[in-house]
Amino acid sequence: MIQVSELTKRYAGHTAVAGISFHVQRGEIVGLLGPNGAGKSTTMRILTGFLPATHGKVRVAGFDVATESAEVRRRIGYMPENNPLYPEMRVREYLKFRARLKGLPRARANARVDVVLQQCSLTEVSRKTIGHLSKGYRQRVGLADALVHEPELIILDEPTIGLDPNQIRSVRQLIKDLSPKHTILISTHLLHEAELTCHRMIILREGKIIAAGTPDSLQQSVRQSLKVIAELAAPEAELKQCWEQLPEVALFDIVATDNGFHRCALTPHGGADLRPQVFALAKQRGWTLRELTRNRHSLEDIYVRLTRRHEEEEEEF
Amino acid sequence: MQAYLTLTRRELAAYLNSMTGYVVIAAAVFLTGLSFTVLLLKLQDTPTPAPLTELFFATPFFWLIILLAAPVITMRLFAQERFAGTFETLMTAPVSDLQVVLAKFTAAWLFYLLMWLPLLASSFILRRFTSLPAALDAGTLGGAFLGIALLGGVFVAGGLLASAVTRSQIIAAMLCLVGGVTLFLLSFLGDRVDAISTRLAQVCNHLNLFDHMNDFARGVVDTRPVVFLLSLTALFLFLTLRVLESRRWR
């Protein structure tokens, strides 16, 4: 669906995207992940034909973005960053306008507007002025606009930014529901977001791809750093002694919590799962164990490590 | 074609669905009304054997309205879209740059014409209450409105260009105002530079919007000013199109 090869974008004085290549298959949900300024929005703007590339080839649905821009734009539903809308228009009126602008015949436009209003739960606000809507509703209007002409490819730039957790959840569900019929490219700077919605992630930093793959494969690559969290009711000194004696524990950290419990974060050597050992130890010593988990935030760790590396290097100098 | 019509409709609705449109029309009605009153009071003192339309366009009032209205009407067209980011949603829809430029121009120009309709009403009121039917006839009125439409094309297209080069509506309005006033003042340069160079004077005479408008107001429709005003409009629209395209090679 998307073929990007050696894409470079230079603005006067700096390089926003530096020779990235990736492919997106039909029906996939792919997340472009990276800190602010990594080149996510620039990449999306080039994909949608809004900006030209400095170098490189970009093809969407078999059409060249630079030379067959109109064909490409017909097949893309795009929601830019910050979801710009016309505040003076009413929801239905706006969607109707966008549908007609994208070339749908009148009857088809009306029918599609009804469908997307339903799909994005906008029916009850369809007669309201966009400027008076809450941020969550406005975001859904932007999504409805991206969907209204049934595009093959949907590109969403930071679709959940600035929403409250409930709204984020509903937008995320909406995106997931679209996935078998549409190919979706979303950008986010939140790893958690990408992990929950995307089949595949592409992590960008300073205009370069620094990692790519499925959430599982990325997790595999960092299995060794999977931490185990255990909350035990035991004296701190005793805990400390235990962890020091366990050969599998590489690093540990103990924090006192309430009622004599201690929260221990244990980093194992070589990807070992420490949970059975912790449980056995608690049983043997008669400690109360109230939590035992393997840290699920390890992806966040690599993300932070990958994307922060440069800043740290700079600090060292 | 569908995209052009859809866009034109939205742009026109943007004027009529917001306060701005009505404020502009109200201001224009107030100023034309005031100009007419002043003109009539003057005529009571010194009777003048000329059609009223001609007298009206020979006063600074008419020019004041057109010079002020053009920036107010056109400043939002592109600058606001750029500022709000809707420019991106607009340009990533399957529409061509030309369709966007023409649609915005058409909507602004139609709104500008709508703004002048009360002038027609004032003329009819005047005819009703004066005993002289010759004070106003279809020919001069038609000529006057043709002049208004053609001049409006130039000023609206110029304002569109000003709006396309900046994200700030204030800057767009200022550029349009300065451009418009400059064009207007050139009308008076012709008489003065005659002594310096006849060639320059000839150029200035061609650019003499003030005299062109006077001719139209007398009901004289010469093809030269018509072609001139139309080509000036086309030039501004072409430049606007180039500005829009510039994001692709900048």
Side-chain angles (χ1 to χ4, degrees), chain B residues 13-56:
Chain B
Y15 287 114
L16 301 178
N17 284 347
S18 69
M19 280 300 279
T20 354
Y22 296 99
V23 171
V24 172
I25 292 177
V29 170
F30 174 71
L31 290 179
T32 29
L34 197 63
S35 319
F36 252 77
T37 313
V38 172
L39 197 62
L40 288 177
L41 289 175
K42 247 175 132 179
L43 283 176
Q44 276 185 339
D45 293 343
T46 46
T48 315
L52 189 74
T53 43
E54 190 186 338
L55 291 177
F56 177 67

mmCIF file of all heavy atoms in Angstrom, chain B residues 13-56:
data_model
loop_
_atom_site.group_PDB
_atom_site.id
_atom_site.type_symbol
_atom_site.label_atom_id
_atom_site.label_comp_id
_atom_site.label_asym_id
_atom_site.label_seq_id
_atom_site.Cartn_x
_atom_site.Cartn_y
_atom_site.Cartn_z
ATOM 1 N N ALA B 13 -20.631 30.751 1.966
ATOM 2 C CA ALA B 13 -21.355 30.491 3.216
ATOM 3 C C ALA B 13 -20.538 30.996 4.409
ATOM 4 O O ALA B 13 -21.100 31.457 5.400
ATOM 5 C CB ALA B 13 -21.626 28.992 3.358
ATOM 6 N N ALA B 14 -19.191 30.929 4.285
ATOM 7 C CA ALA B 14 -18.348 31.391 5.391
ATOM 8 C C ALA B 14 -18.581 32.880 5.655
ATOM 9 O O ALA B 14 -18.505 33.337 6.788
ATOM 10 C CB ALA B 14 -16.884 31.127 5.075
ATOM 11 N N TYR B 15 -18.877 33.657 4.584
ATOM 12 C CA TYR B 15 -19.184 35.085 4.792
ATOM 13 C C TYR B 15 -20.556 35.242 5.425
ATOM 14 O O TYR B 15 -20.752 36.048 6.324
ATOM 15 C CB TYR B 15 -19.195 35.834 3.454
ATOM 16 C CG TYR B 15 -17.831 36.060 2.863
ATOM 17 C CD1 TYR B 15 -17.449 35.454 1.684
ATOM 18 C CD2 TYR B 15 -16.921 36.900 3.499
ATOM 19 C CE1 TYR B 15 -16.210 35.659 1.131
ATOM 20 C CE2 TYR B 15 -15.671 37.112 2.960
ATOM 21 C CZ TYR B 15 -15.306 36.492 1.775
ATOM 22 O OH TYR B 15 -14.072 36.691 1.245
ATOM 23 N N LEU B 16 -21.510 34.456 4.902
ATOM 24 C CA LEU B 16 -22.899 34.683 5.297
ATOM 25 C C LEU B 16 -23.296 33.969 6.582
ATOM 26 O O LEU B 16 -24.312 34.274 7.170
ATOM 27 C CB LEU B 16 -23.828 34.273 4.140
ATOM 28 C CG LEU B 16 -23.544 35.046 2.851
ATOM 29 C CD1 LEU B 16 -24.437 34.567 1.731
ATOM 30 C CD2 LEU B 16 -23.723 36.553 3.050
ATOM 31 N N ASN B 17 -22.464 32.991 7.018
ATOM 32 C CA ASN B 17 -22.767 32.302 8.275
ATOM 33 C C ASN B 17 -22.077 32.941 9.464
ATOM 34 O O ASN B 17 -22.184 32.460 10.573
ATOM 35 C CB ASN B 17 -22.340 30.837 8.205
ATOM 36 C CG ASN B 17 -23.297 30.019 7.383
ATOM 37 O OD1 ASN B 17 -24.388 30.493 7.069
ATOM 38 N ND2 ASN B 17 -22.904 28.823 7.031
ATOM 39 N N SER B 18 -21.306 33.982 9.208
ATOM 40 C CA SER B 18 -20.601 34.588 10.334
ATOM 41 C C SER B 18 -20.960 36.073 10.413
ATOM 42 O O SER B 18 -21.500 36.643 9.472
ATOM 43 C CB SER B 18 -19.091 34.427 10.161
ATOM 44 O OG SER B 18 -18.662 35.232 9.095
ATOM 45 N N MET B 19 -20.647 36.655 11.524
ATOM 46 C CA MET B 19 -20.930 38.074 11.737
ATOM 47 C C MET B 19 -20.177 38.940 10.736
ATOM 48 O O MET B 19 -20.693 39.935 10.246
ATOM 49 C CB MET B 19 -20.525 38.480 13.160
ATOM 50 C CG MET B 19 -21.522 38.116 14.223
ATOM 51 S SD MET B 19 -23.103 38.901 13.909
ATOM 52 C CE MET B 19 -22.765 40.532 14.562
ATOM 53 N N THR B 20 -18.925 38.538 10.420
ATOM 54 C CA THR B 20 -18.075 39.359 9.561
ATOM 55 C C THR B 20 -18.805 39.830 8.305
ATOM 56 O O THR B 20 -18.786 41.013 7.986
ATOM 57 C CB THR B 20 -16.829 38.575 9.089
ATOM 58 O OG1 THR B 20 -16.815 37.328 9.749
ATOM 59 C CG2 THR B 20 -15.576 39.343 9.328
ATOM 60 N N GLY B 21 -19.479 38.885 7.638
ATOM 61 C CA GLY B 21 -20.148 39.219 6.398
ATOM 62 C C GLY B 21 -21.166 40.331 6.592
ATOM 63 O O GLY B 21 -21.180 41.320 5.848
ATOM 64 N N TYR B 22 -21.961 40.181 7.639
ATOM 65 C CA TYR B 22 -23.025 41.162 7.862
ATOM 66 C C TYR B 22 -22.461 42.496 8.318
ATOM 67 O O TYR B 22 -22.996 43.557 7.970
ATOM 68 C CB TYR B 22 -24.056 40.596 8.848
ATOM 69 C CG TYR B 22 -24.735 39.398 8.241
ATOM 70 C CD1 TYR B 22 -24.342 38.108 8.572
ATOM 71 C CD2 TYR B 22 -25.711 39.566 7.271
ATOM 72 C CE1 TYR B 22 -24.935 37.014 7.975
ATOM 73 C CE2 TYR B 22 -26.312 38.473 6.664
ATOM 74 C CZ TYR B 22 -25.919 37.204 7.017
ATOM 75 O OH TYR B 22 -26.492 36.135 6.406
ATOM 76 N N VAL B 23 -21.383 42.444 9.073
ATOM 77 C CA VAL B 23 -20.757 43.698 9.503
ATOM 78 C C VAL B 23 -20.231 44.454 8.279
ATOM 79 O O VAL B 23 -20.419 45.670 8.148
ATOM 80 C CB VAL B 23 -19.616 43.423 10.520
ATOM 81 C CG1 VAL B 23 -18.823 44.689 10.791
ATOM 82 C CG2 VAL B 23 -20.196 42.887 11.818
ATOM 83 N N VAL B 24 -19.605 43.726 7.361
ATOM 84 C CA VAL B 24 -19.083 44.362 6.149
ATOM 85 C C VAL B 24 -20.220 44.975 5.337
ATOM 86 O O VAL B 24 -20.150 46.135 4.906
ATOM 87 C CB VAL B 24 -18.291 43.342 5.288
ATOM 88 C CG1 VAL B 24 -17.922 43.949 3.947
ATOM 89 C CG2 VAL B 24 -17.045 42.888 6.012
ATOM 90 N N ILE B 25 -21.302 44.198 5.154
ATOM 91 C CA ILE B 25 -22.428 44.718 4.374
ATOM 92 C C ILE B 25 -23.030 45.941 5.071
ATOM 93 O O ILE B 25 -23.294 46.972 4.441
ATOM 94 C CB ILE B 25 -23.510 43.630 4.168
ATOM 95 C CG1 ILE B 25 -22.953 42.539 3.238
ATOM 96 C CG2 ILE B 25 -24.769 44.225 3.565
ATOM 97 C CD1 ILE B 25 -23.883 41.386 3.002
ATOM 98 N N ALA B 26 -23.222 45.839 6.397
ATOM 99 C CA ALA B 26 -23.799 46.955 7.148
ATOM 100 C C ALA B 26 -22.924 48.202 7.006
ATOM 101 O O ALA B 26 -23.428 49.309 6.776
ATOM 102 C CB ALA B 26 -23.943 46.577 8.618
ATOM 103 N N ALA B 27 -21.617 48.022 7.099
ATOM 104 C CA ALA B 27 -20.702 49.152 6.982
ATOM 105 C C ALA B 27 -20.817 49.783 5.597
ATOM 106 O O ALA B 27 -20.862 51.020 5.457
ATOM 107 C CB ALA B 27 -19.267 48.696 7.245
ATOM 108 N N ALA B 28 -20.901 48.925 4.571
ATOM 109 C CA ALA B 28 -20.999 49.431 3.204
ATOM 110 C C ALA B 28 -22.311 50.184 3.002
ATOM 111 O O ALA B 28 -22.336 51.256 2.387
ATOM 112 C CB ALA B 28 -20.881 48.288 2.205
ATOM 113 N N VAL B 29 -23.402 49.644 3.548
ATOM 114 C CA VAL B 29 -24.708 50.300 3.431
ATOM 115 C C VAL B 29 -24.652 51.669 4.111
ATOM 116 O O VAL B 29 -25.085 52.684 3.563
ATOM 117 C CB VAL B 29 -25.822 49.446 4.077
ATOM 118 C CG1 VAL B 29 -27.115 50.238 4.167
ATOM 119 C CG2 VAL B 29 -26.036 48.181 3.277
ATOM 120 N N PHE B 30 -24.076 51.685 5.304
ATOM 121 C CA PHE B 30 -23.969 52.937 6.052
ATOM 122 C C PHE B 30 -23.176 53.970 5.246
ATOM 123 O O PHE B 30 -23.604 55.109 5.075
ATOM 124 C CB PHE B 30 -23.289 52.660 7.392
ATOM 125 C CG PHE B 30 -23.003 53.892 8.188
ATOM 126 C CD1 PHE B 30 -24.040 54.611 8.771
ATOM 127 C CD2 PHE B 30 -21.704 54.352 8.344
ATOM 128 C CE1 PHE B 30 -23.786 55.754 9.500
ATOM 129 C CE2 PHE B 30 -21.439 55.503 9.067
ATOM 130 C CZ PHE B 30 -22.489 56.200 9.652
ATOM 131 N N LEU B 31 -22.029 53.553 4.712
ATOM 132 C CA LEU B 31 -21.177 54.498 3.989
ATOM 133 C C LEU B 31 -21.805 54.955 2.673
ATOM 134 O O LEU B 31 -21.754 56.147 2.346
ATOM 135 C CB LEU B 31 -19.791 53.887 3.738
ATOM 136 C CG LEU B 31 -18.928 53.722 4.990
ATOM 137 C CD1 LEU B 31 -17.599 53.089 4.641
ATOM 138 C CD2 LEU B 31 -18.701 55.066 5.680
ATOM 139 N N THR B 32 -22.438 54.035 1.922
ATOM 140 C CA THR B 32 -23.101 54.481 0.687
ATOM 141 C C THR B 32 -24.238 55.428 1.027
ATOM 142 O O THR B 32 -24.416 56.454 0.363
ATOM 143 C CB THR B 32 -23.683 53.318 -0.155
ATOM 144 O OG1 THR B 32 -24.033 52.255 0.732
ATOM 145 C CG2 THR B 32 -22.720 52.820 -1.187
ATOM 146 N N GLY B 33 -25.004 55.102 2.062
ATOM 147 C CA GLY B 33 -26.114 55.956 2.466
ATOM 148 C C GLY B 33 -25.627 57.349 2.839
ATOM 149 O O GLY B 33 -26.165 58.366 2.379
ATOM 150 N N LEU B 34 -24.573 57.366 3.614
ATOM 151 C CA LEU B 34 -24.011 58.642 4.057
ATOM 152 C C LEU B 34 -23.505 59.440 2.856
ATOM 153 O O LEU B 34 -23.765 60.645 2.739
ATOM 154 C CB LEU B 34 -22.862 58.361 5.036
ATOM 155 C CG LEU B 34 -22.411 59.520 5.902
ATOM 156 C CD1 LEU B 34 -23.542 59.969 6.821
ATOM 157 C CD2 LEU B 34 -21.201 59.107 6.730
ATOM 158 N N SER B 35 -22.827 58.765 1.936
ATOM 159 C CA SER B 35 -22.298 59.436 0.753
ATOM 160 C C SER B 35 -23.424 60.054 -0.064
ATOM 161 O O SER B 35 -23.334 61.199 -0.515
ATOM 162 C CB SER B 35 -21.552 58.462 -0.148
ATOM 163 O OG SER B 35 -20.788 57.591 0.607
ATOM 164 N N PHE B 36 -24.496 59.277 -0.222
ATOM 165 C CA PHE B 36 -25.628 59.777 -0.985
ATOM 166 C C PHE B 36 -26.242 61.001 -0.334
ATOM 167 O O PHE B 36 -26.570 61.979 -1.001
ATOM 168 C CB PHE B 36 -26.687 58.670 -1.138
ATOM 169 C CG PHE B 36 -26.748 58.124 -2.517
ATOM 170 C CD1 PHE B 36 -25.783 57.238 -2.949
ATOM 171 C CD2 PHE B 36 -27.740 58.527 -3.391
ATOM 172 C CE1 PHE B 36 -25.818 56.748 -4.236
ATOM 173 C CE2 PHE B 36 -27.772 58.049 -4.686
ATOM 174 C CZ PHE B 36 -26.814 57.152 -5.110
ATOM 175 N N THR B 37 -26.387 60.945 0.974
ATOM 176 C CA THR B 37 -26.964 62.074 1.701
ATOM 177 C C THR B 37 -26.116 63.325 1.493
ATOM 178 O O THR B 37 -26.631 64.398 1.153
ATOM 179 C CB THR B 37 -27.044 61.740 3.200
ATOM 180 O OG1 THR B 37 -27.601 60.438 3.328
ATOM 181 C CG2 THR B 37 -27.902 62.741 3.939
ATOM 182 N N VAL B 38 -24.799 63.158 1.667
ATOM 183 C CA VAL B 38 -23.891 64.292 1.499
ATOM 184 C C VAL B 38 -24.007 64.854 0.091
ATOM 185 O O VAL B 38 -24.110 66.073 -0.124
ATOM 186 C CB VAL B 38 -22.433 63.871 1.791
ATOM 187 C CG1 VAL B 38 -21.463 64.981 1.435
ATOM 188 C CG2 VAL B 38 -22.281 63.489 3.247
ATOM 189 N N LEU B 39 -24.038 63.932 -0.881
ATOM 190 C CA LEU B 39 -24.109 64.317 -2.287
ATOM 191 C C LEU B 39 -25.386 65.096 -2.568
ATOM 192 O O LEU B 39 -25.370 66.135 -3.242
ATOM 193 C CB LEU B 39 -24.067 63.049 -3.136
ATOM 194 C CG LEU B 39 -23.730 63.216 -4.599
ATOM 195 C CD1 LEU B 39 -22.343 63.806 -4.749
ATOM 196 C CD2 LEU B 39 -23.782 61.856 -5.296
ATOM 197 N N LEU B 40 -26.530 64.617 -2.020
ATOM 198 C CA LEU B 40 -27.817 65.277 -2.262
ATOM 199 C C LEU B 40 -27.858 66.653 -1.627
ATOM 200 O O LEU B 40 -28.364 67.611 -2.220
ATOM 201 C CB LEU B 40 -28.956 64.407 -1.715
ATOM 202 C CG LEU B 40 -29.224 63.142 -2.529
ATOM 203 C CD1 LEU B 40 -30.306 62.322 -1.882
ATOM 204 C CD2 LEU B 40 -29.594 63.502 -3.958
ATOM 205 N N LEU B 41 -27.303 66.763 -0.426
ATOM 206 C CA LEU B 41 -27.285 68.072 0.247
ATOM 207 C C LEU B 41 -26.475 69.065 -0.577
ATOM 208 O O LEU B 41 -26.831 70.228 -0.722
ATOM 209 C CB LEU B 41 -26.705 67.938 1.650
ATOM 210 C CG LEU B 41 -27.609 67.205 2.641
ATOM 211 C CD1 LEU B 41 -26.910 67.015 3.980
ATOM 212 C CD2 LEU B 41 -28.929 67.956 2.809
ATOM 213 N N LYS B 42 -25.366 68.541 -1.148
ATOM 214 C CA LYS B 42 -24.520 69.390 -1.988
ATOM 215 C C LYS B 42 -25.277 69.849 -3.233
ATOM 216 O O LYS B 42 -25.199 70.999 -3.641
ATOM 217 C CB LYS B 42 -23.278 68.604 -2.416
ATOM 218 C CG LYS B 42 -21.973 69.157 -1.820
ATOM 219 C CD LYS B 42 -20.845 68.249 -2.215
ATOM 220 C CE LYS B 42 -19.666 69.033 -2.755
ATOM 221 N NZ LYS B 42 -18.580 68.104 -3.114
ATOM 222 N N LEU B 43 -26.019 68.907 -3.832
ATOM 223 C CA LEU B 43 -26.774 69.205 -5.048
ATOM 224 C C LEU B 43 -27.862 70.251 -4.797
ATOM 225 O O LEU B 43 -28.208 71.019 -5.685
ATOM 226 C CB LEU B 43 -27.408 67.936 -5.615
ATOM 227 C CG LEU B 43 -26.471 67.005 -6.374
ATOM 228 C CD1 LEU B 43 -27.200 65.748 -6.787
ATOM 229 C CD2 LEU B 43 -25.899 67.712 -7.593
ATOM 230 N N GLN B 44 -28.403 70.264 -3.579
ATOM 231 C CA GLN B 44 -29.420 71.262 -3.245
ATOM 232 C C GLN B 44 -28.841 72.663 -3.322
ATOM 233 O O GLN B 44 -29.505 73.601 -3.716
ATOM 234 C CB GLN B 44 -29.963 71.002 -1.840
ATOM 235 C CG GLN B 44 -31.068 69.971 -1.831
ATOM 236 C CD GLN B 44 -31.683 69.806 -0.460
ATOM 237 O OE1 GLN B 44 -31.067 70.157 0.550
ATOM 238 N NE2 GLN B 44 -32.878 69.277 -0.418
ATOM 239 N N ASP B 45 -27.564 72.798 -2.919
ATOM 240 C CA ASP B 45 -26.920 74.113 -2.971
ATOM 241 C C ASP B 45 -26.566 74.482 -4.402
ATOM 242 O O ASP B 45 -26.876 75.571 -4.864
ATOM 243 C CB ASP B 45 -25.635 74.109 -2.133
ATOM 244 C CG ASP B 45 -25.948 73.949 -0.659
ATOM 245 O OD1 ASP B 45 -27.118 74.165 -0.297
ATOM 246 O OD2 ASP B 45 -25.036 73.583 0.097
ATOM 247 N N THR B 46 -25.887 73.554 -5.083
ATOM 248 C CA THR B 46 -25.430 73.855 -6.446
ATOM 249 C C THR B 46 -25.934 72.793 -7.412
ATOM 250 O O THR B 46 -25.370 71.705 -7.494
ATOM 251 C CB THR B 46 -23.887 73.851 -6.498
ATOM 252 O OG1 THR B 46 -23.438 72.675 -5.799
ATOM 253 C CG2 THR B 46 -23.279 75.081 -5.907
ATOM 254 N N PRO B 47 -27.011 73.112 -8.137
ATOM 255 C CA PRO B 47 -27.544 72.152 -9.101
ATOM 256 C C PRO B 47 -26.502 71.825 -10.166
ATOM 257 O O PRO B 47 -25.792 72.710 -10.638
ATOM 258 C CB PRO B 47 -28.734 72.880 -9.720
ATOM 259 C CG PRO B 47 -29.042 73.990 -8.777
ATOM 260 C CD PRO B 47 -27.765 74.375 -8.130
ATOM 261 N N THR B 48 -26.365 70.513 -10.498
ATOM 262 C CA THR B 48 -25.357 70.107 -11.474
ATOM 263 C C THR B 48 -26.032 69.311 -12.585
ATOM 264 O O THR B 48 -26.764 68.369 -12.300
ATOM 265 C CB THR B 48 -24.292 69.220 -10.799
ATOM 266 O OG1 THR B 48 -23.947 69.828 -9.559
ATOM 267 C CG2 THR B 48 -23.058 69.085 -11.667
ATOM 268 N N PRO B 49 -25.813 69.665 -13.831
ATOM 269 C CA PRO B 49 -26.457 68.938 -14.928
ATOM 270 C C PRO B 49 -25.689 67.678 -15.314
ATOM 271 O O PRO B 49 -25.119 67.598 -16.398
ATOM 272 C CB PRO B 49 -26.453 69.956 -16.065
ATOM 273 C CG PRO B 49 -25.238 70.792 -15.801
ATOM 274 C CD PRO B 49 -24.990 70.782 -14.319
ATOM 275 N N ALA B 50 -25.643 66.717 -14.422
ATOM 276 C CA ALA B 50 -24.937 65.463 -14.726
ATOM 277 C C ALA B 50 -25.685 64.326 -14.067
ATOM 278 O O ALA B 50 -26.351 64.535 -13.055
ATOM 279 C CB ALA B 50 -23.510 65.524 -14.209
ATOM 280 N N PRO B 51 -25.588 63.094 -14.625
ATOM 281 C CA PRO B 51 -26.267 61.970 -13.970
ATOM 282 C C PRO B 51 -25.698 61.753 -12.560
ATOM 283 O O PRO B 51 -24.507 61.965 -12.324
ATOM 284 C CB PRO B 51 -25.927 60.773 -14.867
ATOM 285 C CG PRO B 51 -25.434 61.356 -16.141
ATOM 286 C CD PRO B 51 -24.871 62.693 -15.825
ATOM 287 N N LEU B 52 -26.595 61.332 -11.717
ATOM 288 C CA LEU B 52 -26.208 61.165 -10.314
ATOM 289 C C LEU B 52 -25.110 60.124 -10.148
ATOM 290 O O LEU B 52 -24.190 60.282 -9.349
ATOM 291 C CB LEU B 52 -27.427 60.752 -9.493
ATOM 292 C CG LEU B 52 -27.145 60.771 -8.004
ATOM 293 C CD1 LEU B 52 -27.091 62.191 -7.502
ATOM 294 C CD2 LEU B 52 -28.175 59.969 -7.264
ATOM 295 N N THR B 53 -25.194 59.032 -10.937
ATOM 296 C CA THR B 53 -24.192 57.975 -10.806
ATOM 297 C C THR B 53 -22.796 58.540 -11.047
ATOM 298 O O THR B 53 -21.850 58.243 -10.324
ATOM 299 C CB THR B 53 -24.462 56.837 -11.799
ATOM 300 O OG1 THR B 53 -24.796 57.410 -13.061
ATOM 301 C CG2 THR B 53 -25.574 55.960 -11.315
ATOM 302 N N GLU B 54 -22.697 59.405 -12.075
ATOM 303 C CA GLU B 54 -21.394 59.968 -12.388
ATOM 304 C C GLU B 54 -20.866 60.793 -11.227
ATOM 305 O O GLU B 54 -19.700 60.695 -10.839
ATOM 306 C CB GLU B 54 -21.494 60.825 -13.647
ATOM 307 C CG GLU B 54 -20.122 61.231 -14.149
ATOM 308 C CD GLU B 54 -20.200 62.204 -15.318
ATOM 309 O OE1 GLU B 54 -21.248 62.245 -15.983
ATOM 310 O OE2 GLU B 54 -19.211 62.912 -15.540
ATOM 311 N N LEU B 55 -21.763 61.567 -10.655
ATOM 312 C CA LEU B 55 -21.351 62.398 -9.528
ATOM 313 C C LEU B 55 -20.878 61.542 -8.363
ATOM 314 O O LEU B 55 -19.884 61.828 -7.710
ATOM 315 C CB LEU B 55 -22.518 63.282 -9.072
ATOM 316 C CG LEU B 55 -22.910 64.377 -10.052
ATOM 317 C CD1 LEU B 55 -24.122 65.129 -9.524
ATOM 318 C CD2 LEU B 55 -21.752 65.335 -10.273
ATOM 319 N N PHE B 56 -21.605 60.454 -8.152
ATOM 320 C CA PHE B 56 -21.265 59.593 -7.016
ATOM 321 C C PHE B 56 -19.870 59.007 -7.168
ATOM 322 O O PHE B 56 -19.058 59.014 -6.237
ATOM 323 C CB PHE B 56 -22.295 58.470 -6.877
ATOM 324 C CG PHE B 56 -21.982 57.504 -5.788
ATOM 325 C CD1 PHE B 56 -22.029 57.894 -4.455
ATOM 326 C CD2 PHE B 56 -21.611 56.204 -6.069
ATOM 327 C CE1 PHE B 56 -21.728 57.008 -3.437
ATOM 328 C CE2 PHE B 56 -21.306 55.312 -5.061
ATOM 329 C CZ PHE B 56 -21.368 55.721 -3.747
#
